[in-house]
Amino acid sequence: MMTLAGRTLFITGASRGIGLAIALRAARDGANIAIAAKTVDPHPRLEGTIFTAAAAIEQAGGRALAIPCDIREEAQVRAAVARTVEAFCGIDVLVNNASAISLTGTLDTPARRFDLMQQVNARGTFLCSQACVPALRQSANPHILTLSPPLNLNPRWFKGHVAYTMAKYGMSMCVLGMAEEFRDDGIGVNALWPRTGIATAAIRNLLGGDDAVARCRTTDIMADAAHWILTRPSREATGNFFIDEDVVRQAGVTDLDRYSVVPGTTDFMQDFFLD
């Protein structure tokens, strides 16, 4: 199975960035995509809304359903999943993409920011997975793909931003546990994480601006890697913590420079959690 044609993807946080890139790659196959995100009105510092994303998905060849959804709220998650099942007669893929970040130390992390990261990252991933499993069990090739890192317990990844690390590792622990819990159901549960920085609003606004973006890869590498994972037989691909560049190489890409923001770059910003 090398195509997502006719399959239905429920993607959180897909109004922009990596989530939208994954959606557009699937749309080129002719997939159905539910965009579950909060951005309804334009944001002064962030591009895109659920409606601009839906228009781009339709233009790329897919079918789109724009759903305002705060994944911290159980009722909203369950309603969004129900709308997707009703519109597209099921769900084949859940992509847990939505995430909150604050690279602050313990004394500089207010409780509200700690709660936000835990609620969006760990709780949101858990709630969306929980809500989608009944529909995924009906799919011929069901997948849950979570954008979270390998569980690396090196203290360097806790020292400067323990709250963020806890929240991202909460997502990864969902992958670790659910891969085994739903193995007999044939649901492939995997994680995907980038080797380098990816040119997103988070990099531009929080991690160095345009200079940092120039040392990143584009969202296309994550989209291509996700596509390869999601077209594998789910019973044969589960419990993995995939790294984007390893995946695209396995998919046959030999020239990774195609993904560089600045062609020819070799001094990439390395992503967190990878030694």
Side-chain angles (χ1 to χ4, degrees), residues 102 104-106 109 114 117-118 157-167:
S102 180
T104 48
T106 300
T109 305
F114 178 93
M117 289 190 285
Q118 293 293 335
W157 300 119
F158 292 82
K159 177 182 176 181
H161 40 74
V162 64
Y164 174 64
T165 299
M166 290 169 64

Side-chain angles (χ1 to χ4, degrees), residues 10 12 94-98 124-125 128-129 144-148 171:
F10 185 99
T12 66
L94 164 65
V95 179
N96 288 309
N97 164 73
T125 294
C128 290
S129 301
I144 297 174
L145 183 64
T146 298
L147 303 193
S148 65
M171 299 173 73

